[in-house]
């Protein structure tokens, strides 16, 4: 992605089969969809230049908090996705808390005092045959919408690791 320096949707799609292969070999792999809360309002009120800084703050936070085995990408607009192999629910909660805190710190470093945060939806890649990128994104997206419906600024997990998440 030219703005954020993160992989784009195409790169995410290219990396997905490797993550799915890990899941099929009994490694837990979390897929997290992230969305910047009230991003349209930031763009409308402060302009696209500030919106770009907000996107950069999230991208920088993801770069700092992802491991070499993880894959963080900007899919479109303010929609980001992260594949996190070999993590459990407690680790996922801790990662999200660190990400939220780091994002706020990055906004402050840019001098932005904005009423925004991160909503996130998570699903586990299934070890059952037939799980696809579109299926996994749809599950994570449903969890993301639940996070927004519950008041934003939180992570909603779709199912426990090891649960059959294929639909």
């Amino acid at each position: 992605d030219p703005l954020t320096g993160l992989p784009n949707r195409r790169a995410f799609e290219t990396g997905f089969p490797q993550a799915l292969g890990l899941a099929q070999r009994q490694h837990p792999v979390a897929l997290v969809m992230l969305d910047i809360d009230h991003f349209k309002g930031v763009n409308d009120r402060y302009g696209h230049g500030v919106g770009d800084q907000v996107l950069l703050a999230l991208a920088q936070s993801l770069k700092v908090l992802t491991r070499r085995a993880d894959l963080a990408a900007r899919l479109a607009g303010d929609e980001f996705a992260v594949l996190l192999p070999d993590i459990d629910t407690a680790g996922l909660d801790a990662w999200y808390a660190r990400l939220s805190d780091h994002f706020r710190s990055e906004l402050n470093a840019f001098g932005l005092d904005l009423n925004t945060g991160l909503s996130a939806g998570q699903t586990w890649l299934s070890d059952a045959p037939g799980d696809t990128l579109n299926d996994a994104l749809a599950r994570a997206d449903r969890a993301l919408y639940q996070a927004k419906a519950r008041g934003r600024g939180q992570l909603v997990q779709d199912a426990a690791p090891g649960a059959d998440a294929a639909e």
Side-chain angles (χ1 to χ4, degrees):
D1 176 63
L3 175 66
T4 63
L6 289 174
N8 62 14
R9 177 179 280 275
R10 180 165 291 153
F12 189 80
E13 290 169 353
T14 300
F16 182 81
Q18 181 179 357
L20 189 58
L22 282 172
Q24 290 169 344
R25 291 189 303 278
Q26 310 306 311
H27 291 265
V29 180
L31 168 61
V32 179
M33 296 282 297
L34 296 163
D35 195 273
I36 299 167
D37 294 332
H38 309 293
F39 184 69
K40 184 182 181 322
V42 170
N43 271 338
D44 290 348
R45 184 170 182 190
Y46 301 102
H48 291 280
V50 171
D52 286 353
Q53 288 184 310
V54 173
L55 293 171
L56 287 168
L58 178 52
Q60 182 59 31
S61 298
L62 286 168
K63 289 173 187 174
V64 168
L65 293 171
T66 50
R67 304 164 297 177
R68 182 171 298 185
D70 301 337
L71 175 59
R74 180 180 177 205
L75 300 185
D78 69 323
E79 187 175 275
F80 293 75
V82 187
L83 288 166
L84 299 158
D86 295 316
I87 195 167
D88 60 15
T89 54
L92 190 63
D93 286 336
W95 175 84
Y96 172 76
R98 286 191 312 271
L99 181 67
S100 293
D101 290 345
H102 198 280
F103 176 62
R104 279 191 271 295
S105 296
E106 286 292 320
L107 290 175
N108 290 337
F110 277 124
L112 302 174
D113 183 21
L114 302 173
N115 182 23
T116 192
L118 298 175
S119 292
Q122 179 270 333
T123 191
W124 297 98
L125 300 192
S126 175
D127 60 1
D131 199 13
T132 67
L133 174 62
N134 287 339
D135 291 342
L137 286 172
R139 291 192 309 270
D141 205 41
R142 280 194 301 274
L144 173 60
Y145 278 100
Q146 288 178 7
K148 289 180 171 287
R150 294 178 186 174
R152 302 179 190 267
Q154 60 187 291
L155 167 68
V156 169
Q157 297 186 27
D158 174 58
D164 187 3
E167 295 178 342

